[in-house]
């Protein structure tokens, strides 16, 4: 990273009646391949309403709506992972490649560390549009677990 690199200021914000449609529409900015890798935000928020383990937020970067994050905390029949699991993460197409996804994960790690939590689980699909390289760049390693009817490879970041 060069000395002149300016890191984005990332915030996690509640999704409100005023912002919900804008959050839904972020999904339309992903490529077709990327849309195969992550559920649409509207679908994720609908799922969250039927799960008492879901926690979701909109991602703002330098004050602009840029993405969506959803965690799953604790194991259940949906995700059999005892811990914090990165259920959904998407950065809107025009905002990708600017370090926002990295800052989101770093912020999450900072927060989890203060809560005495020392790992973050996630999973990814394979093939075109796969975010595997993103997880590798951030230090996630494979766990040997599989999720989503075994289509997704489990990875974990430990600190
Ligand atoms: C994966 C995703 C969240 C990455 O967000 P992003 O803000 O573009 O990522 P960043 O700019 O913070 O990149 C962080 C690092 O990952 C790498 N990276 C990110 N996307 C990558 C890709 N598609 N291929 C290779 N490397 C990638 C970057 O090179 C960077 O590495 P560096 O910091 O060592 O240079 C974003 O591409 C996305 O929303 N994809 C569609 C949805 C998805 O797959 N979500 C994850 C599964 S639920």
């Amino acid at each position: 990273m060069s000395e002149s690199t300016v890191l984005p200021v990332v915030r996690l914000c509640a999704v409100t009646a005023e912002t919900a449609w804008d959050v839904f529409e972020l999904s339309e900015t992903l490529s077709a391949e990327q849309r195969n890798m992550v559920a649409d935000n509207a679908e994720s928020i609908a799922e969250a309403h039927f799960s008492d383990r879901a926690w979701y937020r909109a991602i703002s970067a330098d004050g602009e709506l840029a993405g969506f994050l959803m965690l799953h905390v604790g194991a259940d029949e949906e995700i059999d992972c005892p811990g914090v699991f990165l259920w959904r993460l998407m950065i809107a197409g025009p905002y990708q490649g600017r370090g926002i996804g990295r800052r989101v994960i770093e912020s999450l790690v900072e927060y989890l560390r203060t809560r005495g939590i020392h790992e973050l689980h996630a999973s990814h699909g394979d093939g075109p549009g796969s975010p595997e390289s993103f997880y590798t760049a951030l230090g996630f390693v494979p766990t040997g677990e599989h999720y989503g009817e075994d289509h997704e490879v489990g990875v974990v970041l430990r600190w």
Side-chain angles (χ1 to χ4, degrees):
M1 192 184 297
S2 78
E3 280 181 31
S4 61
T5 301
V6 179
L7 293 175
V9 176
V10 166
R11 292 202 168 82
L12 301 180
C13 316
V15 178
T16 66
E18 287 71 34
T19 60
W21 283 100
D22 290 336
V23 173
F24 298 164
E25 286 171 3
L26 292 179
S27 296
E28 294 165 20
T29 68
L30 298 182
S31 67
E33 288 85 4
Q34 288 185 335
R35 289 185 85 166
N36 285 333
M37 296 291 153
V38 64
D40 284 358
N41 295 339
E43 184 183 329
S44 294
I45 291 172
E47 277 182 278
H49 283 84
F50 297 101
S51 169
D52 55 12
R53 300 201 171 276
W55 183 90
Y56 64 87
R57 288 291 184 272
I59 297 166
S60 93
D62 296 332
E64 294 181 28
L65 179 63
F68 177 76
L69 163 84
M70 188 156 97
L71 303 179
H72 185 278
V73 183
D76 65 7
E77 64 284 350
E78 180 68 37
I79 299 180
D80 186 14
C81 174
V84 181
F85 191 95
L86 187 62
W87 195 359
R88 305 280 155 71
L89 171 66
M90 64 81 64
I91 303 300
Y95 292 89
Q96 290 179 15
R98 301 186 191 179
I100 297 171
R102 178 184 280 280
R103 279 300 298 144
V104 168
I105 299 298
E106 288 172 350
S107 303
L108 203 50
V109 167
E110 286 163 23
Y111 173 74
L112 294 175
R113 185 184 280 126
T114 67
R115 308 294 296 251
I117 296 168
H118 299 288
E119 58 183 28
L120 173 64
H121 289 263
S123 68
H124 62 78
D126 288 325
S130 169
E132 179 178 4
S133 306
F134 168 74
Y135 289 116
T136 303
L138 270 66
F140 283 80
V141 294
T143 60
E145 299 289 330
H146 289 83
Y147 298 93
E149 297 172 358
D150 288 349
H151 299 310
E152 300 239 333
V153 177
V155 291
V156 67
L157 179 66
R158 296 197 171 96
W159 57 87

